[in-house]
Amino acid sequence: MSTDTTDPDSAAESDVITIYSDYVCPFCYLGRRSLDAYQADRDAELEIYWHPFDLRSGKRNPDGTIDHDADDGKDDAYYEQAKENVRRLQEQYGADEMELDLATEVDSLPAQVVSVAVREAHDYETWLDFDEAVFAALWHAGRDIGAEDVLVDLATDVGVDADFVRDALADEERRSAIREQFREAQQRGITGVPTFVYEGYAARGAVPPEQLRRLVEGE
């Protein structure tokens, strides 16, 4: 655990848990499943303050596109181990609905841009519905969450106007702002996701519900 990763906007809110995550990270999906299991035993639901994180930052070209041939130090053995870890946690958390082990070819940046825009312009429940829909689209259905038409479908299904999504994706200032959020996460010492933060303490990885309980309740 660490005391240097709290989001300044949520640190004082005892009913808010900050989560640093990237939609293309299978462990972020599994970590949310673990959080759901913990929440099921709580009297009051924790509100999620989501902080975007870019797992592809080391492979991005200056224009923001991904160079899939760039060497990020992750070889076949790394990905095989990651797949094994995903399958183990799938079984542990009962996540049989997952259709993918990894999503190495998907760019989550468009989804993150839209998600931040939805959170800023709509109520919490609308954002949460969209956020969960993005995870489900990728990990349940294998849809490309980097595609504009997919994001429009997901957003309109939760009551967000299609033009709002298109405008957000075309807004270069929004993209610059989210890149700044990525840098802020790194400056706060976030090196991997998911990272759960509550009142100055952090739990890293797709930790089990009992560890999230200890994080939040100190037990």
Side-chain angles (χ1 to χ4, degrees):
M1 290 194 175
S2 170
T3 58
D4 61 353
T5 54
T6 305
D7 188 279
D9 295 329
S10 62
E13 300 291 340
S14 61
D15 60 346
V16 175
I17 187 166
T18 297
I19 306 176
Y20 292 81
S21 69
D22 187 339
Y23 290 117
V24 295
C25 170
F27 302 104
C28 292
Y29 174 79
L30 290 162
R32 288 289 290 276
R33 285 297 304 268
S34 177
L35 180 62
D36 288 344
Y38 165 54
Q39 296 257 50
D41 292 331
R42 282 179 57 86
D43 293 332
E45 185 173 354
L46 285 167
E47 183 172 311
I48 294 169
Y49 181 87
W50 167 68
H51 197 299
F53 188 89
D54 187 15
L55 285 176
R56 308 282 195 258
S57 61
K59 302 183 75 168
R60 290 201 183 276
N61 296 310
D63 64 357
T65 59
I66 296 175
D67 180 0
H68 291 288
D69 295 324
D71 183 9
D72 59 0
K74 298 175 181 178
D75 56 14
D76 290 343
Y78 171 89
Y79 287 113
E80 272 309 310
Q81 184 62 56
K83 288 180 181 180
E84 287 184 21
N85 291 338
V86 168
R87 288 190 285 267
R88 174 178 55 81
L89 290 173
Q90 276 184 270
E91 182 175 351
Q92 182 177 342
Y93 297 157
D96 298 334
E97 73 281 356
M98 289 184 73
E99 293 293 328
L100 301 178
D101 291 323
L102 302 176
T104 55
E105 299 302 312
V106 177
D107 185 1
S108 64
L109 180 58
Q112 298 203 67
V113 168
V114 175
S115 190
V116 169
V118 170
R119 184 178 64 190
E120 291 174 351
H122 295 76
D123 60 83
Y124 173 74
E125 292 301 330
T126 299
W127 170 77
L128 186 61
D129 287 345
F130 176 76
D131 170 78
E132 292 175 346
V134 173
F135 273 121
L138 178 60
W139 297 108
H140 298 187
R143 301 178 73 184
D144 181 1
I145 60 168
E148 180 177 302
D149 60 339
V150 172
L151 294 172
V152 167
D153 284 347
L154 299 177
T156 54
D157 282 348
V158 301
V160 176
D161 187 76
D163 286 340
F164 177 88
V165 176
R166 297 188 183 99
D167 289 345
L169 290 172
D171 189 338
E172 285 303 319
E173 289 187 8
R174 283 196 176 278
R175 289 178 179 265
S176 296
I178 201 168
R179 285 193 291 268
E180 181 59 31
Q181 290 187 54
F182 295 154
R183 286 191 288 271
E184 288 173 0
Q186 293 175 334
Q187 290 167 0
R188 290 176 184 155
I190 303 299
T191 57
V193 289
T195 295
F196 300 87
V197 179
Y198 186 83
E199 293 189 343
Y201 294 93
R204 296 180 174 87
V207 296
E210 54 268 27
Q211 189 167 340
L212 292 174
R213 179 177 292 104
R214 289 195 297 270
L215 173 69
V216 174
E217 301 174 18
E219 299 177 0

